[in-house]
Every structure is written in C-alpha cells, then in structure tokens.
Amino acid sequence: MATFRGFDYMAIEEELTDEQRMVRNTVRDFVDREFLPVVKTHYRAGTFPLALVPRLGELGLLGSSLSGYGCAGIDSVSYGLVMQELERGDSGLRSFASVQGALVMYPIRSYGSEEQKERWLPAMARGKAIGCFGLTEPDHGSDPESMKTRAVRDGDHFVLSGAKMWITNGAVADVALVWAKLDGVVRGFLVEKGTPGFSAPEIHSKLSLRASVTAELILDDVRVHRSQMLPGVQGMKGPLSCLTQARYGIAWGAVGAAMACLDEALRYTSERTQFGRPLSAFQLTQAKLADMLTKTTTAQLLAWRLGQLKDRGKMVHTQVSMAKRNNVRAALEVARTARGMLGANGISDEYQVMRHMCNLESVETYEGTYEIHTLVLGRDLTGHYAFGPQ
Ligand SMILES: Cc1cc2nc3c(=O)[nH]c(=O)nc-3n(C[C@H](O)[C@H](O)[C@H](O)COP(=O)(O)OP(=O)(O)OC[C@H]3O[C@@H](n4cnc5c(N)ncnc54)[C@H](O)[C@@H]3O)c2cc1C
C-alpha cells in the first residue's frame, strides 16, 4: 500500500523539526501497513484490534508526551502529529491512544503516588496494561459535576457505588480511573479489573466508532484500598485537566480524519468519469474540493499553533475548546461532503469516507459536545455563564 502523502497547503512541513517529521512518518507507515489492512474487518465486527496494542507500545505511542516511567517524552507537536496519523486510520485507534495516554496515564503521572506510577505507567506505556476513564454517567454527561457515583470511607478502604456510561476501552481495561464524590468532593480512584462488585459490560449498539470498545462501568459496593485513590488532586480540576490533554489530541486527530476523506474524494473524482469527463473536472466538484481543502488547512493551522503554545507552556483550555470545536466540526463536514462525492460507493466500507463520517459523530459528542465548547467560548468572551442555572 502506498504511503499516505497528506496535505500541506500552508507549508507547515517547513516548520517541523527532523524529529517531528520522523515521528509522523513512523506512525503514518504503521497505519498504512499494519492498521488499514485490518480496520474494515474490525469495523464490521464491532471490535478493536487488540493484537496491535503491544505494537503501539513498542512504537512509543502510548503516553508518548509524558516523561519517565518508560514513556517516550516527545514534544507537543510530535504528539499532535501522532494523533493526526492515528485518526487518519480511524477515530477508534486515536481514541484508544488518547484514553490510555491523556486520560489515564496523564493523571497517574500528574496526581498519582509513586507506587501508583511504578505500578501502572511502565506497563501502560508498553501496552501490557490498558486503562479507561470513567466520568460520564447514564444521567450526567455534559454536566459531570452532578455525578451520583459515591465513595464512602470504611477504615483503610473506600466503598464505591454508582455507574458510568459510554466508557472507551471499558470492557478490555485492566484499570479504570473512576471519578466519584467523597464527602461531596470529586476524587479519582484506580479500580482494578476483577475487583468484586465491579463489572464492565460492553455496549454493542453503536453505529459509530465501531472499531473501538465502549462499555458501561457498574460499581456495586466496590471496596478499594485507600492507596488506590489519586492523592494529588481533588474537585473537577482532576477530570477537566485530563480532558484538556485529550481534547488537544482530538484537535489534531480530526485533521487526520479530514485528510483521509479529502484524499479519497480527490482520488475518486479524478478517476471516475461521468458525462464524458472526470468528476474532478466539473465546477461543482472543484468547489467542494476547495472548501474541503480550506477547512482541513485551517484546522491544521489551529492544531499546529496550539502545539506551539503547549510546548511553550502557554496553552489555555479555552484555546483547546476552540480547536476541538472547530476541527471536529470541520472534519465532519469534510467527511459528509466526501461521502456524497463518492456516490453509491460512498456508503460502502470498501471506501473510508462513511466510516470516518460515522466516527466523527461520536468525536463531536465526546470530550465536550460542540455546544458545550460553544458555551465555554461564549463565557470567555462575555463573562456570562450560559450553561444553565448558576
Ligand atoms: C463513543 C463514545 C465514547 C465515549 N467515551 C467516554 C469515556 O471514555 N469516558 C467518559 O467519561 N465518557 C465517554 N463518553 C461520553 C461523552 O463524553 C458524553 O456522551 C458527552 O459528554 C455528552 O454527554 P451525553 O451523551 O450525556 O449528552 P447530554 O449531556 O445529555 O447532551 C445531549 C445534547 O444536549 C446538548 N446540551 C447539553 N447541555 C446543554 C446546554 N447547557 N446548552 C445547550 N445544549 C446542551 C449537548 O450538546 C447534546 O447535543 C463517550 C461517548 C461516546 C459516544
């Protein structure tokens, strides 16, 4: 299979270091050679290619922006390029790496005890252990602070009760980072697979992100030792700081999905002839391609600038909201347009566009919906809180 060439209309390539290019090309090659040949089978079956997890570890793609404990410690732009290339393969592949790295390894690295770091980070970096992040509940999605999951102290233990919903990697995770309220304050607990009272039934009804495992987490009086609570953070800062990291990766990932769709639409319309000419020779087709290229490029520029700010320690969460909101919507629009441009073939899984389009519906919803990020930006601009009653 030919290695993907990508799009670089604003000459970002010139700004990349040799290391950043090398990281991007390594992941690009992995996706082309090892992931794309199997994704269709997994998407149809509704499974994630778990056999590739140790390979992701070997390539240093799990928790790659973290330092120490076996993590690769790459810079933020390199990390973004990793996410871009993984999602160029499939949003499910990027979701796996995002959850593992940004939502589980990052909080353990930032807020965990030394024992927790030693226990989980090297194994998770190698892909020998899988993590999941349990924040959303059946009745509390956009407003996680209203969560019902509770932790009650019992000597040296805590007893957790409640339920989490739509948890990526849930059914295959060795450890779940569960956010629960202890005396009314949100805390993070590392719950191990097999703990009595804890189960993670898989959700099989998805028409989106099918090559990704999603589960419910059921906590029925689950006893965890006090050493399993993250000692270094309390309140919503815990989960929200993880989400900022993951949303940064999504902003880049969406660029990858958009590039894959633009590439496929460009190739298809160049090769397919109707009314005696290639589809790409019609003005209506060119207008679509011009819009798709512009959306993809503006998303790419936002992601790249965000990466520069992050590396300089200057990135703020509202900028991440802007990039997540814009880039996922842009990618979704590119994917929907590309789907139409392939005609009937656009609905077939012999092509990628509909898979990306369906995936991006989830990406637009998770990690803060489009509307929630709109409200974040609205509050930042006006100072008014418009999420609901204060
Ligand atoms: C495939 C998939 C994987 C996921 N993985 C994880 C995971 O690993 N861990 C995890 O914790 N969660 C995960 N989620 C859950 C995800 O984060 C939530 O679905 C998301 O936060 C939205 O919550 P909700 O689905 O309950 O929708 P709701 O909050 O009920 O929102 C429904 C609609 O109402 C809108 N809305 C809500 N509030 C307002 C408002 N104030 N003003 C205007 N509109 C509003 C929303 O934008 C949305 O359009 C996943 C979801 C999916 C689909």
Side-chain angles (χ1 to χ4, degrees), residues 268 338-340 342-349 351-355:
Y268 189 87
R339 209 298 302 147
L342 268 68
N345 280 324
I347 69 145
S348 163
D349 68 6
Y351 293 86
Q352 308 173 53
V353 286
M354 184 131 167
R355 176 166 54 77

Side-chain angles (χ1 to χ4, degrees), residues 119-384:
R119 164 110 171 78
W120 293 110
L121 294 178
M124 292 184 77
R126 287 203 312 275
K128 301 280 182 206
I130 296 174
C132 71
F133 175 90
L135 180 65
T136 304
E137 299 188 347
D139 296 330
H140 302 96
S142 298
D143 176 23
E145 199 167 358
S146 301
M147 67 175 68
K148 285 200 199 109
T149 302
R150 293 282 177 275
V152 175
R153 211 176 257 105
D154 181 17
D156 276 348
H157 290 79
F158 295 106
V159 180
L160 302 180
S161 53
K164 298 289 176 180
M165 192 64 186
W166 299 112
I167 308 305
T168 303
N169 296 349
V172 294
D174 300 284
V175 61
L177 171 53
V178 172
W179 298 96
K181 280 188 178 168
L182 172 68
D183 302 326
V185 179
V186 173
R187 303 295 306 241
F189 298 88
L190 296 168
V191 180
E192 290 190 37
K193 186 180 187 167
T195 307
F198 176 59
S199 58
E202 191 167 347
I203 297 169
H204 291 290
S205 56
K206 289 182 300 166
L207 298 175
S208 167
L209 268 191
R210 286 187 55 74
S212 172
V213 171
T214 315
E216 197 179 341
L217 303 183
I218 298 171
L219 299 135
D220 191 6
D221 288 340
V222 176
R223 282 175 75 78
V224 295
H225 191 260
R226 62 184 167 82
S227 63
Q228 289 169 256
M229 183 170 76
L230 292 182
V233 74
Q234 45 180 301
M236 286 302 288
K237 175 178 183 272
L240 292 181
S241 61
C242 304
L243 291 170
T244 298
Q245 302 301 314
R247 289 165 180 162
Y248 169 77
I250 293 175
W252 279 92
V255 175
M259 281 186 185
C261 294
L262 172 55
D263 181 62
E264 193 161 64
L266 184 57
R267 277 172 204 272
Y268 189 87
T269 55
S270 302
E271 285 162 14
R272 177 145 176 105
T273 301
Q274 291 292 297
F275 300 98
R277 305 181 72 188
L279 291 173
S280 62
F282 295 110
Q283 289 182 351
L284 288 177
T285 306
Q286 291 188 5
K288 288 175 190 167
L289 290 168
D291 279 347
M292 292 157 81
L293 177 63
T294 307
K295 283 183 177 136
T296 304
T297 303
T298 48
Q300 193 179 23
L301 286 166
L302 265 186
W304 175 64
R305 175 64 182 155
L306 204 57
Q308 286 187 322
L309 292 172
K310 193 170 193 298
D311 272 332
R312 293 174 197 166
K314 288 188 172 167
M315 182 185 87
V316 295
H317 76 93
T318 44
Q319 293 167 333
V320 181
S321 281
M322 177 185 281
K324 194 273 182 185
R325 174 181 182 271
N326 178 78
N327 290 10
V328 177
R329 178 59 64 92
L332 188 51
E333 287 172 357
V334 168
R336 285 174 181 158
T337 307
R339 209 298 302 147
M341 291 166 80
L342 268 68
N345 280 324
I347 69 145
S348 163
D349 68 6
E350 297 300 330
Y351 293 86
Q352 308 173 53
V353 286
M354 184 131 167
R355 176 166 54 77
H356 280 296
M357 185 190 90
C358 292
N359 284 340
L360 289 163
E361 293 289 346
S362 285
V363 182
E364 168 134 310
T365 287
Y366 70 32
E367 307 251 5
T369 64
Y370 184 85
E371 289 77 14
I372 291 301
H373 290 297
T374 305
L375 295 171
V376 168
L377 293 174
R379 180 178 55 186
D380 198 38
L381 273 174
T382 68
H384 292 294

